[in-house]
Amino acid sequence: MQEIYDLSWFKKSLAPKLNDFKLEYRYFDEGDFGSLNQVLFNSSKLGGEVEFWSRNFLRIHLWDYEKDIELMNILIHPHQKEEKQKVFEELQNFVDKK
């Protein structure tokens, strides 16, 4: 069975691993791809956001504050289901290295 990557998944699977990060949850009714659940996360070294759209688009943005570089800026379309797991693994790798 394929994992469903949404805000509930994030809160259960990824948020507990972000101990050193400040998390902020936002919701917007109308956006480019329907309603939006957005998670902002920040630490002294890394920051970014994960955006879960109601039309199954996913966006991940990650910034390295120390090196002042963008590490990830990815928009995944609904038909790219297998890509979602890969980008969350990549995000987790960056977080684990911080």
Side-chain angles (χ1 to χ4, degrees):
M1 184 173 163
Q2 189 161 358
E3 191 87 54
I4 297 174
Y5 296 98
D6 60 10
L7 184 60
S8 295
W9 173 87
F10 182 92
K11 287 180 175 181
K12 182 180 89 181
S13 300
L14 196 55
K17 298 175 184 177
L18 299 174
N19 293 328
D20 296 337
F21 288 81
K22 178 185 175 206
L23 299 177
E24 181 181 344
Y25 297 93
R26 296 180 179 176
Y27 176 79
F28 301 94
D29 284 327
E30 297 292 326
D32 295 336
F33 306 115
S35 61
L36 169 65
N37 280 299
Q38 182 183 59
V39 182
L40 304 173
F41 54 93
N42 280 293
S43 73
S44 60
K45 298 178 181 183
L46 296 174
E49 63 269 346
V50 177
E51 298 176 340
F52 299 97
W53 298 88
S54 63
R55 293 185 186 150
N56 292 322
F57 284 83
L58 170 71
R59 180 173 170 267
I60 297 178
H61 183 239
L62 181 64
W63 192 265
D64 184 318
Y65 295 133
E66 291 181 328
K67 297 177 183 173
D68 196 28
I69 58 170
E70 185 177 62
L71 300 172
M72 298 176 76
N73 190 1
I74 300 168
L75 176 65
I76 297 178
H77 293 248
H79 66 277
Q80 297 176 293
K81 293 176 176 49
E82 57 280 340
E83 293 297 318
K84 290 181 181 182
Q85 179 181 353
K86 292 176 187 175
V87 298
F88 278 117
E89 288 173 0
E90 185 178 351
L91 175 61
Q92 186 64 53
N93 286 336
F94 280 120
V95 168
D96 290 344
K97 290 178 186 176
K98 70 155 188 64

